[in-house]
Amino acid sequence: MLWLYNTLIVLATIAAMEIIAALAHKYIMHGWGWGWHLSHHEPRKGWFEVNDLYAVVFAVLSIVLIYLGSIGYWPLQWIGAGMTAYGLLYFMVHDGLVHQRWPFRYVPRRGYLKRLYMAHRLHHAVRGREGCVSFGFLYAPPVDKLQATLRQRHGRRRRRDAATGPQNEAAQPASREKPAP
């Protein structure tokens, strides 16, 4: 029966991490922690960006929790395992799918992955840290609601920039590299 509790703890931690990550993204990364996160909203130079330090912080925290759980503080190892699983999902979806930090390229054309992809592209449609939408990483509000919010905040001009079709500029993955001369 303990395996069931541990599994539920891991799954609950993954769900809780989406809430924690969305709040941290909105209020820390787009707030007092903008100094690190700014690198994520600018063209990337090389494989890493300063924003990756946030992943290091969460990884260290999950390692500490797993260690504390392994020396007898149940259920901390399972909370740490859930944080680690969330980190892997984040890496696959956010870094890989949305920002194309993998050596191959895939742009979803339908379903949940397209909605997630477009929601994050709309997050990056705003320059700077103010007025952004969609701060989650594994949950995405409906794209039409995000577009309406952007139009309300930034006017009709934003409508062209936040359109959903793959033929539109915002739907194309923004190159994080500087173009060659």
Side-chain angles (χ1 to χ4, degrees):
M1 193 65 169
L2 186 60
W3 68 268
L4 179 61
Y5 292 133
N6 294 339
T7 301
L8 291 174
I9 290 168
V10 169
L11 294 174
T13 301
I14 292 170
M17 281 304 299
E18 175 63 6
I19 296 166
I20 292 166
L23 292 172
H25 187 192
K26 185 172 186 176
Y27 295 108
I28 295 173
M29 296 177 191
H30 279 252
W32 57 266
W34 180 249
W36 283 6
H37 191 60
L38 170 63
S39 67
H40 183 65
H41 285 264
E42 294 179 333
R44 189 177 69 244
K45 303 170 189 111
W47 282 96
F48 298 102
E49 52 193 44
V50 177
N51 183 68
D52 294 335
L53 291 172
Y54 284 114
V56 172
V57 169
F58 279 111
V60 168
L61 180 57
S62 67
I63 289 167
V64 168
L65 290 172
I66 291 170
Y67 171 75
L68 290 173
S70 72
I71 61 170
Y73 295 98
W74 181 89
L76 295 183
Q77 74 266 29
W78 301 107
I79 295 171
M83 288 178 67
T84 301
Y86 181 84
L88 289 172
L89 291 169
Y90 169 90
F91 173 72
M92 291 186 307
V93 172
H94 180 262
D95 288 348
L97 178 71
V98 176
H99 290 291
Q100 307 291 316
R101 290 177 77 175
W102 292 350
F104 61 89
R105 191 177 136 99
Y106 171 72
V107 178
R109 300 285 180 217
R110 66 181 73 80
Y112 164 75
L113 290 179
K114 179 179 180 180
R115 178 172 155 174
L116 196 61
Y117 177 85
M118 290 306 305
H120 202 74
R121 299 306 302 162
L122 291 170
H123 173 79
H124 283 272
V126 175
R127 300 288 176 234
R129 67 183 185 177
E130 300 293 326
C132 293
V133 295
S134 188
F135 291 92
F137 296 107
L138 299 179
Y139 168 76
V143 173
D144 58 337
K145 289 185 180 182
L146 296 174
Q147 290 173 323
T149 301
L150 283 172
R151 281 193 300 272
Q152 179 184 11
R153 290 180 185 170
H154 303 284
R156 304 291 276 163
R157 183 179 61 121
R158 181 61 59 198
R159 182 177 187 181
R160 183 191 76 232
D161 297 337
T164 60
Q167 71 279 5
N168 294 312
E169 185 178 318
Q172 297 298 322
S175 174
R176 304 287 309 239
E177 312 296 328
K178 287 194 174 184

